[in-house]
Amino acid sequence: MQVKHPSDSITTLTDVVLPGETNPLNNLFGGELLARMDRAASISARRHSRRICVTASVNHVAFNKAIPLGSVVTVESKVSRAFNTSMEIYIDVWIEDRESGNKTKANEAIYTFVAVDETGNPVPVPQIEPQTELEKQRFDAALRRKQLSLVLAGKMKPHDATELKALFV
Ligand SMILES: CC(C)(COP(=O)(O)OP(=O)(O)OC[C@H]1O[C@@H](n2cnc3c(N)ncnc32)[C@H](O)[C@@H]1OP(=O)(O)O)[C@@H](O)C(=O)NCCC(=O)NCCS
């Protein structure tokens, strides 16, 4: 299978925050942002694998900065690492200043998607080769995050999580 690059799966969704999408403080509702990130990530997974892709887990979400009503929000996602049938997708969220147009990082998240066939069975995906310094950092840390996610889901014994153990031993 052809080796791909993170840039092959870049997906950018830009949208405005409308009144029906906010919490009582008039900031973007967390669940709405999760949905936007899931949508972008699913397109990245599909672009990398050219398969049907399903969300397997949300590994990390940081709501670091509230996103006010009326903000222009850009969700950018790309595959940071491909394993056998699963892919880690890294998502960066930016808001744009109305006057200057400058973008500020608001949030980030990491999702895992699995490529499946028409009956829902996992299928292999192309491997990935990171190119930029940031892509290499995210690639290197992805195996640790996969093991943590599997341990938390009860799908891997802590004893077998070699990358996690290496952090502490
Ligand atoms: C995701 C799904 C296909 C995995 O199926 P499964 O029977 O657990 O398959 P496997 O155990 O072979 O796992 C497949 C891959 O997913 C990875 N995976 C499974 N659960 C994971 C988790 N919680 N975190 C990270 N990776 C996970 C496995 O490590 C494996 O990766 P690899 O092949 O790259 O090594 C299956 O659980 C499913 O269909 N879930 C529902 C998906 C869905 O509907 N999502 C939308 C939710 S609303």
Side-chain angles (χ1 to χ4, degrees), residues 30-117:
E32 170 63 26
L33 183 58
L34 288 172
R36 291 186 190 191
M37 294 192 294
D38 195 34
R39 218 168 284 144
S42 75
I43 296 170
S44 289
R46 190 189 300 199
R47 285 181 171 160
H48 179 82
S49 64
R50 295 289 161 206
R51 290 293 205 157
I52 298 168
C53 295
V54 295
T55 318
S57 76
V58 177
N59 305 32
H60 168 81
V61 185
F63 294 115
N64 292 324
K65 199 169 169 12
I67 302 179
L69 174 66
S71 299
V72 170
V73 182
T74 298
V75 176
E76 188 185 277
S77 64
K78 53 185 171 175
V79 175
S80 42
R81 185 153 176 175
F83 295 97
N84 181 25
T85 64
S86 66
M87 295 154 279
E88 182 190 83
I89 321 287
Y90 219 104
I91 303 148
D92 297 298
V93 180
W94 308 84
I95 48 176
E96 187 178 313
D97 184 78
R98 187 177 55 220
E99 290 176 3
S100 67
N102 291 339
K103 285 187 174 167
T104 312
K105 177 89 173 274
N107 297 297
E108 65 179 34
I110 302 167
Y111 284 48
T112 297
F113 276 73
V114 175
V116 296
D117 63 17

